[in-house]
Amino acid sequence: MGLNSYSFRVRYAETDQMGVVYHGNYAQYLEMGRVEWLRALGVTYKSMEDGGIMLPVISLHIDYKKSALYDDLLTVETQLKSKPLVKIEFDYKVFNEEGDLLATAHTILAFMDKKTGRPIKCPDYILERLED
């Protein structure tokens, strides 16, 4: 299913004293990949939230392979794992500019009604765009 790539540079504030990216920042990198995956589909988080839908992460798994360093150009590849229902699952790969695989990851998010806080099915406008 749809694969999207997003690249950015590691900022100094994201690293420790050795210039290595702090492991907790990878969750933000994955979010950046997801946001850009949705944007490439023609959907934004803002438009979903304005429409009353939230998409919280309910599961996050990261396997670290190699360290990312200050000023590295990283690329997050985000791929939809399967057709979303109430949950949407993504697989990720994070590479540096040399093409080294730095991390693999998997997230599960749930479509939630903003007012009730209850799970809902994936909006039709997302399903329709996935079929294009």
Side-chain angles (χ1 to χ4, degrees):
M1 300 201 105
L3 175 71
N4 184 271
S5 294
Y6 178 69
S7 298
F8 56 93
R9 285 218 178 264
V10 172
R11 298 171 298 181
Y12 184 77
E14 297 165 347
T15 64
D16 60 20
Q17 289 182 340
M18 297 177 293
V20 173
V21 171
Y22 174 68
H23 72 277
N25 287 315
Y26 283 81
Q28 292 179 29
Y29 297 165
L30 303 179
E31 180 184 18
M32 291 163 57
R34 266 193 318 278
V35 166
E36 295 305 319
W37 182 91
L38 279 166
R39 189 180 312 278
L41 195 65
V43 178
T44 65
Y45 262 74
K46 181 168 179 14
S47 67
M48 284 193 342
E49 288 181 356
D50 289 349
I53 298 171
M54 296 179 63
L55 199 55
V57 173
I58 60 173
S59 177
L60 166 65
H61 180 87
I62 303 172
D63 288 315
Y64 301 97
K65 311 289 185 188
K66 188 174 179 181
S67 297
L69 305 172
Y70 169 63
D71 204 42
D72 277 356
L73 180 64
L74 302 184
T75 299
V76 177
E77 289 185 353
T78 305
Q79 185 161 21
L80 183 65
K81 185 168 181 179
S82 58
K83 183 178 175 181
L85 299 171
V86 172
K87 298 179 204 171
I88 187 168
E89 295 187 49
F90 293 99
D91 288 323
Y92 309 83
K93 292 180 181 175
V94 181
F95 298 94
N96 63 16
E97 57 195 308
E98 288 80 33
D100 298 327
L101 180 63
L102 305 181
T104 58
H106 179 80
T107 59
I108 303 172
L109 296 90
F111 293 98
M112 305 285 284
D113 183 291
K114 194 173 180 179
K115 289 180 184 170
T116 67
R118 310 258 323 159
I120 57 173
K121 75 176 198 71
C122 177
D124 289 336
Y125 61 85
I126 291 178
L127 295 172
E128 290 164 4
R129 290 180 178 155
L130 288 172
E131 292 175 5
D132 291 344

